[in-house]
């Protein structure tokens, strides 16, 4: 099975060694709809993404580049940000409920159980920051 990448084209707005700040336009899913100009739900935002280049040919400010990240990193991010906290919360509520606490206390236990999880994520933020990176694919001429 081929490895898929998430790609965006953007313009380099800053360079520091092999670290690039790339400005991309992030469009909502409905922005490509033919009624997007009339609808208030469609939107696009300018975002600055930090990307790294391995090239000896480091692009200059104003150059257009393609940045990418592996799709598996996106799935891992979704798991860490949404799935794992949901599992932890539901498991905590079920255990608290089985121990005979009221529903209100069980709900509080579920919410409080997320605190250590997010503190652990925060403590490992530098390690996660090194793992979740964008890289440049090539320069657009």
């Amino acid at each position: 099975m081929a490895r898929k990448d998430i790609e965006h084209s953007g313009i380099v707005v800053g360079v520091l060694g092999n670290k690039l700040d790339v400005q991309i336009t992030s469009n909502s899913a409905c922005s490509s709809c033919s009624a997007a100009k009339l609808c208030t739900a469609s939107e696009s935002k300018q975002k600055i993404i930090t990307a790294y280049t391995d090239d000896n040919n480091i692009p200059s400010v104003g150059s257009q580049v393609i940045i990418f990240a592996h799709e598996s990193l996106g799935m891992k991010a979704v798991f860490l940000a949404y799935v794992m906290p949901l599992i932890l919360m539901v498991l905590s509520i079920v255990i608290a409920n089985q121990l005979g606490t009221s529903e209100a206390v069980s709900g509080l236990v579920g919410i409080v159980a997320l605190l250590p999880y997010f503190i652990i994520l925060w403590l490992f933020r530098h390690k996660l920051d090194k793992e979740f990176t964008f890289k440049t694919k090539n320069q657009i001429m």
Side-chain angles (χ1 to χ4, degrees):
M1 189 165 122
R3 192 173 182 174
K4 292 184 180 181
D5 292 335
I6 300 167
E7 295 183 356
H8 292 282
S9 62
I11 298 173
V12 177
V13 293
V15 178
L16 182 62
N18 70 334
K19 183 177 169 182
L20 309 173
D21 288 332
V22 180
Q23 181 178 10
I24 64 167
T25 301
S26 176
N27 295 320
S28 66
C30 58
S31 65
S32 60
C33 173
S34 60
K37 292 181 181 177
L38 303 173
C39 179
T40 59
S42 67
E43 62 181 52
S44 64
K45 295 179 182 174
Q46 298 289 326
K47 294 182 181 178
I48 304 292
I49 304 291
T50 300
Y52 296 89
T53 183
D54 296 330
D55 299 337
N56 295 333
N57 181 9
I58 296 176
S60 60
V61 173
S63 300
Q64 195 167 10
V65 294
I66 295 175
I67 59 172
F68 75 97
H70 299 297
E71 189 177 84
S72 60
L73 288 179
M75 298 304 282
K76 191 173 188 177
V78 167
F79 179 78
L80 290 174
Y82 298 107
V83 177
M84 191 63 185
L86 178 66
I87 291 169
L88 183 62
M89 187 188 310
V90 170
L91 194 61
S92 299
I93 291 171
V94 168
I95 290 171
N97 215 4
Q98 291 296 317
L99 292 175
T101 62
S102 69
E103 289 180 4
V105 172
S106 295
L108 282 173
V109 167
I111 292 170
V112 171
L114 295 177
L115 214 71
Y117 176 74
F118 285 112
I119 289 171
I120 290 169
L121 279 182
W122 182 78
L123 291 172
F124 287 97
R125 69 188 180 279
H126 298 296
K127 184 179 182 197
L128 291 171
D129 193 35
K130 289 178 185 173
E131 185 175 348
F132 292 100
T133 59
F134 279 89
K135 296 183 179 178
T136 59
K137 190 171 249 186
N138 57 4
Q139 255 179 286
I140 300 173
M141 298 298 168

